Amino acid sequence: MGYQHWTLDDLPWDRIDRSKADAEILKIIKAAALVEYNGRDYATYLCNVFNDDPEFQQVARDWAEEEVQHGAALGRWAEVIDPSFSLEDAFRRFTDGYKIKLEATESVRGSRSGELIARCMVETGTSSYYTALGDATDEPVLKEICRRIATDELRHYKLFYQHLKRYMEREDLGRLSRLRIALGRINESEDDELAYAYYAANGSGAPYDRETNTRAYMRRAYAYYRPTHVDRGVAMIFKAVGLKPHTTLYRAATRMAWWYLDSRLKKLTKEAA
């Protein structure tokens, strides 16, 4: 019998405690719900890039359905906590203003291996992020949702990594190229997607400004990370680019990543004051 994914009915919705929901976490949960809910568009893009690989296309479609369910779970929680929020309305605003290039037939990363490294980076980021949010919240149902999503994202990482190894056997992508792609994808976490999702989910009616919304999102998101979350994320990145974790280089990279996150948060907090 294959893997059975959880459903929305498996979540203990009757245990939601609105008094324990944090207003700052709510804002970034609304934004995260929109990005996850958009999973099918990413599957379309991946199926175009891997157009002659039906095995991976099926993986991409299954992955997308789980991502959409993540968005539905987060959105439903947000709707209970804030009855003025509608996942479907916010999602319409999001997809009206933010478009994925669905017509691409080749990876924007330059190769299929590169695309799979980028996917591993996304799953690394989301697994660490939902673990951090789950650790930070006292609201029991959100804690359970975040735990389930973080577990899914770690499984997705392993799935993409498995296919990366398959493609690395035929595509000669050195460690330096892999590292460059990985770091490039990490830098994109401050691109339009999250900023526009934050705007569509929490917008006050003012015109969209990328910088303002990026800072508003990142200031809240970075606040929940702890060194253990960063440590785990760096280990996953090292594995994807072919470097050994738990080495001197790894320890230096972990310290550098935590320093960057902490200093970025302090700067964003100071600017907002």
Side-chain angles (χ1 to χ4, degrees), residues 227-240:
T228 49
H229 306 130
V230 173
D231 184 87
R232 185 164 163 264
V234 172
M236 290 166 74
I237 292 166
F238 265 50
K239 184 180 175 183

Side-chain angles (χ1 to χ4, degrees), residues 119-189:
R119 295 317 318 162
C120 285
M121 291 308 99
V122 172
E123 303 306 321
T124 297
T126 50
S127 180
S128 303
Y129 183 47
Y130 288 110
T131 301
L133 289 178
D135 289 347
T137 186
D138 292 324
E139 202 296 303
V141 178
L142 181 60
K143 195 178 266 297
E144 176 64 11
I145 293 170
C146 288
R147 184 190 68 76
R148 287 176 184 257
I149 295 178
T151 302
D152 281 349
E153 304 296 23
L154 182 58
R155 183 168 45 79
H156 293 161
Y157 169 91
K158 289 173 179 171
L159 204 55
F160 288 128
Y161 181 72
Q162 185 188 322
H163 286 275
L164 168 62
K165 285 199 296 185
R166 181 161 68 91
Y167 272 93
M168 286 294 293
E169 286 171 9
R170 63 183 96 160
E171 293 178 353
D172 186 22
L173 203 60
R175 274 188 197 145
L176 206 59
S177 297
R178 288 156 78 177
L179 188 60
R180 184 177 49 75
I181 291 164
L183 293 174
R185 184 61 190 87
I186 291 164
N187 285 337
E188 286 170 29
S189 66

Side-chain angles (χ1 to χ4, degrees), residues 72-85:
L74 294 167
R76 182 164 163 186
W77 180 84
E79 287 175 342
V80 173
I81 303 301
D82 175 9
S84 71
F85 176 71

Side-chain angles (χ1 to χ4, degrees), residues 10-270:
D10 295 327
L11 293 164
W13 297 106
D14 57 335
R15 284 179 49 219
I16 286 184
D17 185 344
R18 290 175 70 177
S19 70
K20 290 184 176 172
D22 180 90
E24 297 300 287
I25 288 184
L26 175 62
K27 287 177 180 174
I28 54 177
I29 288 294
K30 288 175 180 176
L34 303 186
V35 175
E36 298 275 346
Y37 209 48
N38 203 24
R40 290 190 188 105
D41 272 4
Y42 281 102
T44 301
Y45 163 75
L46 288 171
C47 286
N48 287 345
V49 170
F50 292 84
N51 52 53
D52 58 355
D53 185 346
E55 182 192 349
F56 182 76
Q57 287 180 328
Q58 191 55 55
V59 165
R61 288 190 200 99
D62 292 344
W63 162 82
E65 291 311 308
E66 292 186 9
E67 296 291 297
V68 170
Q69 188 182 289
H70 295 168
L74 294 167
R76 182 164 163 186
W77 180 84
E79 287 175 342
V80 173
I81 303 301
D82 175 9
S84 71
F85 176 71
S86 159
L87 174 63
E88 294 298 340
D89 290 350
F91 186 64
R92 249 191 315 277
R93 288 194 295 274
F94 175 54
T95 50
D96 281 350
Y98 178 80
K99 308 281 186 196
I100 297 165
K101 291 187 172 67
L102 297 179
E103 67 283 356
T105 53
E106 289 185 359
S107 171
V108 294
R109 313 290 161 194
S111 67
R112 290 179 175 184
S113 295
E115 185 61 48
L116 290 164
I117 288 167
R119 295 317 318 162
C120 285
M121 291 308 99
V122 172
E123 303 306 321
T124 297
T126 50
S127 180
S128 303
Y129 183 47
Y130 288 110
T131 301
L133 289 178
D135 289 347
T137 186
D138 292 324
E139 202 296 303
V141 178
L142 181 60
K143 195 178 266 297
E144 176 64 11
I145 293 170
C146 288
R147 184 190 68 76
R148 287 176 184 257
I149 295 178
T151 302
D152 281 349
E153 304 296 23
L154 182 58
R155 183 168 45 79
H156 293 161
Y157 169 91
K158 289 173 179 171
L159 204 55
F160 288 128
Y161 181 72
Q162 185 188 322
H163 286 275
L164 168 62
K165 285 199 296 185
R166 181 161 68 91
Y167 272 93
M168 286 294 293
E169 286 171 9
R170 63 183 96 160
E171 293 178 353
D172 186 22
L173 203 60
R175 274 188 197 145
L176 206 59
S177 297
R178 288 156 78 177
L179 188 60
R180 184 177 49 75
I181 291 164
L183 293 174
R185 184 61 190 87
I186 291 164
N187 285 337
E188 286 170 29
S189 66
E190 297 196 13
D191 69 3
D192 260 334
E193 182 180 35
L194 286 169
Y196 204 87
Y198 184 86
Y199 171 75
N202 299 288
S204 57
Y208 172 65
D209 178 74
R210 176 177 164 172
E211 272 302 302
T212 304
N213 285 280
T214 296
R215 286 198 296 266
Y217 179 84
M218 292 301 169
R219 188 175 79 249
R220 289 170 177 87
Y222 287 168
Y224 301 109
Y225 282 95
R226 297 295 172 262
T228 49
H229 306 130
V230 173
D231 184 87
R232 185 164 163 264
V234 172
M236 290 166 74
I237 292 166
F238 265 50
K239 184 180 175 183
V241 299
L243 294 168
K244 287 197 172 97
H246 314 301
T247 57
T248 306
L249 179 62
Y250 161 80
R251 284 189 288 276
T254 303
R255 281 196 300 273
M256 177 69 84
W258 175 250
W259 171 84
Y260 171 79
L261 205 67
D262 193 45
S263 56
R264 185 94 171 90
L265 175 60
K266 283 172 182 161
K267 183 171 183 277
L268 290 165
T269 306
K270 191 177 171 185

